[in-house]
Amino acid sequence: MKKTAFIFVPLALCLLCLTACGPGNTVRLLAPPPLAASTLPAPNAPSVSVVNFTDDRMDSATLGVRRDGSSFVTTGDVPLWISRALADELARKGFRVTFAMDAKQARSSNPDYLVTGNVLEVWLKEYSATEMSVQMRVSCTLANRKGKIWSESCNSNQTRTSLPSGSTADNLLLNTLGDLVGPIAQKIMQTVENRK
Protein backbone atom coordinates (compact mmCIF):
# COMPACT_ATOMS: atom_id res chain seq x y z
CA MET A 1 0.00 0.00 0.00
CA LYS A 2 2.81 2.36 0.85
CA LYS A 3 4.49 1.60 -2.48
CA THR A 4 1.33 2.53 -4.43
CA ALA A 5 1.02 5.84 -2.57
CA PHE A 6 4.71 6.52 -3.25
CA ILE A 7 4.13 6.17 -7.03
CA PHE A 8 0.81 8.02 -7.07
CA VAL A 9 2.01 11.23 -5.36
CA PRO A 10 4.81 12.06 -7.87
CA LEU A 11 2.50 11.20 -10.78
CA ALA A 12 -0.20 13.54 -9.44
CA LEU A 13 2.35 16.32 -8.93
CA CYS A 14 3.64 15.84 -12.47
CA LEU A 15 0.14 16.08 -13.94
CA LEU A 16 -0.58 19.19 -11.85
CA CYS A 17 2.60 20.84 -13.16
CA LEU A 18 1.69 20.02 -16.76
CA THR A 19 -1.78 21.48 -16.31
CA ALA A 20 -0.31 24.66 -14.84
CA CYS A 21 1.88 24.99 -17.92
CA GLY A 22 -1.15 25.15 -20.20
CA PRO A 23 -2.26 28.32 -21.97
CA GLY A 24 -3.66 31.20 -19.97
CA ASN A 25 -6.75 33.12 -20.97
CA THR A 26 -4.73 35.95 -22.56
CA VAL A 27 -3.29 35.00 -25.94
CA ARG A 28 -0.45 36.88 -27.64
CA LEU A 29 -0.67 37.75 -31.34
CA LEU A 30 2.86 36.82 -32.40
CA ALA A 31 4.36 38.66 -35.35
CA PRO A 32 5.38 36.58 -38.38
CA PRO A 33 9.12 36.33 -39.10
CA PRO A 34 10.49 39.70 -40.29
CA LEU A 35 11.19 40.31 -43.95
CA ALA A 36 14.68 39.31 -45.00
CA ALA A 37 16.98 42.16 -45.93
CA SER A 38 17.28 40.58 -49.38
CA THR A 39 13.51 40.97 -49.98
CA LEU A 40 13.58 44.01 -52.23
CA PRO A 41 10.99 44.64 -54.93
CA ALA A 42 12.07 45.27 -58.51
CA PRO A 43 11.95 48.95 -59.53
CA ASN A 44 9.08 48.22 -61.94
CA ALA A 45 7.14 45.99 -59.49
CA PRO A 46 3.45 46.85 -59.02
CA SER A 47 2.65 48.99 -55.99
CA VAL A 48 0.04 47.72 -53.54
CA SER A 49 -1.43 49.48 -50.54
CA VAL A 50 -2.96 47.22 -47.89
CA VAL A 51 -5.63 48.92 -45.80
CA ASN A 52 -6.11 47.86 -42.19
CA PHE A 53 -8.92 45.30 -42.23
CA THR A 54 -12.31 45.99 -40.64
CA ASP A 55 -13.33 43.85 -37.66
CA ASP A 56 -16.66 42.21 -38.50
CA ARG A 57 -16.47 39.40 -35.94
CA MET A 58 -19.71 38.77 -34.06
CA ASP A 59 -17.76 38.94 -30.79
CA SER A 60 -14.68 41.12 -31.11
CA ALA A 61 -14.04 41.10 -27.35
CA THR A 62 -13.09 37.42 -27.17
CA LEU A 63 -10.87 35.13 -29.19
CA GLY A 64 -12.39 31.80 -28.30
CA VAL A 65 -13.39 29.52 -25.46
CA ARG A 66 -11.45 27.36 -23.02
CA ARG A 67 -12.57 23.92 -21.90
CA ASP A 68 -13.73 25.39 -18.57
CA GLY A 69 -16.07 27.79 -20.39
CA SER A 70 -13.97 30.92 -19.82
CA SER A 71 -12.91 33.08 -22.77
CA PHE A 72 -9.64 33.48 -24.60
CA VAL A 73 -8.84 37.19 -24.96
CA THR A 74 -5.98 39.22 -26.41
CA THR A 75 -4.58 42.68 -25.86
CA GLY A 76 -3.54 42.79 -29.52
CA ASP A 77 -5.42 44.30 -32.46
CA VAL A 78 -6.65 41.31 -34.49
CA PRO A 79 -7.46 43.12 -37.80
CA LEU A 80 -4.14 44.98 -37.68
CA TRP A 81 -2.29 41.72 -37.00
CA ILE A 82 -3.88 39.97 -40.00
CA SER A 83 -3.64 42.84 -42.49
CA ARG A 84 -0.01 43.61 -41.62
CA ALA A 85 0.84 39.93 -42.06
CA LEU A 86 -0.77 40.04 -45.51
CA ALA A 87 1.20 43.18 -46.38
CA ASP A 88 4.44 41.41 -45.40
CA GLU A 89 3.50 38.36 -47.45
CA LEU A 90 2.83 40.53 -50.52
CA ALA A 91 6.24 42.16 -50.02
CA ARG A 92 7.79 38.68 -49.99
CA LYS A 93 6.08 38.09 -53.36
CA GLY A 94 7.92 41.09 -54.82
CA PHE A 95 5.30 43.86 -54.66
CA ARG A 96 6.13 47.40 -53.55
CA VAL A 97 3.90 47.49 -50.49
CA THR A 98 2.62 50.26 -48.27
CA PHE A 99 0.30 49.90 -45.30
CA ALA A 100 -2.49 52.34 -44.50
CA MET A 101 -4.93 52.67 -41.63
CA ASP A 102 -7.78 53.73 -43.96
CA ALA A 103 -8.62 53.88 -47.67
CA LYS A 104 -8.09 57.66 -47.89
CA GLN A 105 -4.54 57.34 -46.61
CA ALA A 106 -3.94 54.39 -48.97
CA ARG A 107 -5.13 56.30 -52.05
CA SER A 108 -2.91 59.27 -51.22
CA SER A 109 0.13 57.27 -52.33
CA ASN A 110 -1.60 56.47 -55.66
CA PRO A 111 -0.87 52.72 -55.65
CA ASP A 112 -1.49 50.48 -58.65
CA TYR A 113 -3.61 48.22 -56.44
CA LEU A 114 -5.58 48.54 -53.22
CA VAL A 115 -6.25 45.61 -50.85
CA THR A 116 -9.09 45.86 -48.34
CA GLY A 117 -10.65 43.23 -46.14
CA ASN A 118 -12.92 42.22 -43.30
CA VAL A 119 -12.09 39.89 -40.43
CA LEU A 120 -15.08 37.56 -40.15
CA GLU A 121 -13.81 34.99 -37.64
CA VAL A 122 -10.84 34.22 -35.43
CA TRP A 123 -11.83 31.56 -32.93
CA LEU A 124 -9.76 29.35 -30.63
CA LYS A 125 -11.31 26.32 -28.97
CA GLU A 126 -9.63 24.30 -26.26
CA TYR A 127 -10.92 20.71 -26.13
CA SER A 128 -8.55 19.35 -23.48
CA ALA A 129 -5.19 20.08 -21.88
CA THR A 130 -3.54 18.69 -25.02
CA GLU A 131 -5.91 19.54 -27.91
CA MET A 132 -6.87 22.91 -29.36
CA SER A 133 -8.17 24.24 -32.68
CA VAL A 134 -8.41 27.62 -34.37
CA GLN A 135 -10.51 28.91 -37.26
CA MET A 136 -9.83 32.10 -39.21
CA ARG A 137 -11.97 33.60 -41.95
CA VAL A 138 -11.62 36.89 -43.81
CA SER A 139 -13.09 38.46 -46.91
CA CYS A 140 -10.56 40.21 -49.11
CA THR A 141 -10.90 42.57 -52.08
CA LEU A 142 -8.34 43.71 -54.64
CA ALA A 143 -9.00 46.83 -56.71
CA ASN A 144 -7.05 48.73 -59.33
CA ARG A 145 -7.57 52.38 -60.22
CA LYS A 146 -10.73 51.48 -62.20
CA GLY A 147 -12.43 49.38 -59.52
CA LYS A 148 -12.72 45.95 -57.93
CA ILE A 149 -11.00 43.12 -59.84
CA TRP A 150 -11.06 40.28 -57.30
CA SER A 151 -12.95 39.46 -54.14
CA GLU A 152 -13.13 36.27 -52.12
CA SER A 153 -13.82 34.86 -48.68
CA CYS A 154 -10.77 32.92 -47.47
CA ASN A 155 -10.35 30.70 -44.44
CA SER A 156 -7.83 28.57 -42.60
CA ASN A 157 -8.18 26.18 -39.69
CA GLN A 158 -5.87 23.94 -37.73
CA THR A 159 -6.08 21.52 -34.83
CA ARG A 160 -3.07 20.78 -32.67
CA THR A 161 -2.44 18.01 -30.18
CA SER A 162 0.61 18.60 -28.01
CA LEU A 163 1.90 18.66 -24.46
CA PRO A 164 0.39 21.50 -22.42
CA SER A 165 2.35 24.70 -22.88
CA GLY A 166 1.77 28.38 -22.24
CA SER A 167 2.62 29.17 -25.88
CA THR A 168 0.45 26.55 -27.61
CA ALA A 169 -2.39 28.97 -28.41
CA ASP A 170 0.02 31.73 -29.51
CA ASN A 171 1.90 29.43 -31.90
CA LEU A 172 -1.25 27.81 -33.24
CA LEU A 173 -2.68 31.24 -34.09
CA LEU A 174 0.58 32.26 -35.81
CA ASN A 175 0.73 29.07 -37.90
CA THR A 176 -2.91 29.42 -38.93
CA LEU A 177 -2.30 33.07 -39.85
CA GLY A 178 0.51 31.97 -42.18
CA ASP A 179 -1.81 29.41 -43.80
CA LEU A 180 -4.39 32.16 -44.29
CA VAL A 181 -2.33 35.01 -45.75
CA GLY A 182 -0.05 32.86 -47.93
CA PRO A 183 -2.81 31.71 -50.34
CA ILE A 184 -4.43 35.18 -50.33
CA ALA A 185 -1.14 36.77 -51.41
CA GLN A 186 -0.74 34.09 -54.09
CA LYS A 187 -4.23 34.79 -55.47
CA ILE A 188 -3.55 38.52 -55.51
CA MET A 189 -0.28 37.92 -57.37
CA GLN A 190 -2.02 35.67 -59.93
CA THR A 191 -4.79 38.23 -60.46
CA VAL A 192 -2.25 40.99 -61.06
CA GLU A 193 -0.20 38.77 -63.42
CA ASN A 194 -3.31 37.85 -65.43
CA ARG A 195 -4.11 41.51 -66.03
CA LYS A 196 -0.73 42.35 -67.57
Side-chain angles (χ1 to χ4, degrees), residues 32-36 39 85 87-95 97:
L35 292 172
T39 307
D88 286 350
E89 192 62 30
L90 288 168
R92 286 186 183 91
K93 299 273 184 210
F95 288 97
V97 179

Side-chain angles (χ1 to χ4, degrees), residues 73-92:
V73 295
T74 184
T75 56
D77 185 322
V78 173
L80 185 65
W81 178 63
I82 293 174
S83 45
R84 278 203 179 275
L86 177 57
D88 286 350
E89 192 62 30
L90 288 168
R92 286 186 183 91

Side-chain angles (χ1 to χ4, degrees), residues 22-30 63 72 81 124 132 134 160 162 165-176:
N25 286 52
T26 302
V27 180
R28 296 173 300 152
L29 301 179
L30 302 176
L63 210 58
F72 280 114
W81 178 63
L124 273 165
M132 183 179 296
V134 64
R160 176 171 293 175
S162 62
S165 165
S167 60
T168 299
D170 307 341
N171 291 325
L172 182 57
L173 276 171
L174 181 60
N175 289 340
T176 309

Side-chain angles (χ1 to χ4, degrees), residues 150-173:
W150 171 79
S151 185
E152 194 171 318
S153 179
C154 306
N155 62 69
S156 177
N157 56 72
Q158 288 188 14
T159 300
R160 176 171 293 175
T161 303
S162 62
L163 288 173
S165 165
S167 60
T168 299
D170 307 341
N171 291 325
L172 182 57
L173 276 171

Side-chain angles (χ1 to χ4, degrees), residues 119-182:
V119 179
L120 305 174
E121 181 181 27
V122 177
W123 194 253
L124 273 165
K125 186 166 183 179
E126 184 183 43
Y127 298 100
S128 69
T130 58
E131 186 178 9
M132 183 179 296
S133 70
V134 64
Q135 293 191 30
M136 291 186 189
R137 188 165 51 95
V138 300
S139 63
C140 198
T141 299
L142 176 68
N144 60 14
R145 293 184 180 111
K146 294 180 181 177
K148 182 169 68 174
I149 56 174
W150 171 79
S151 185
E152 194 171 318
S153 179
C154 306
N155 62 69
S156 177
N157 56 72
Q158 288 188 14
T159 300
R160 176 171 293 175
T161 303
S162 62
L163 288 173
S165 165
S167 60
T168 299
D170 307 341
N171 291 325
L172 182 57
L173 276 171
L174 181 60
N175 289 340
T176 309
L177 175 67
D179 284 354
L180 178 72
V181 299

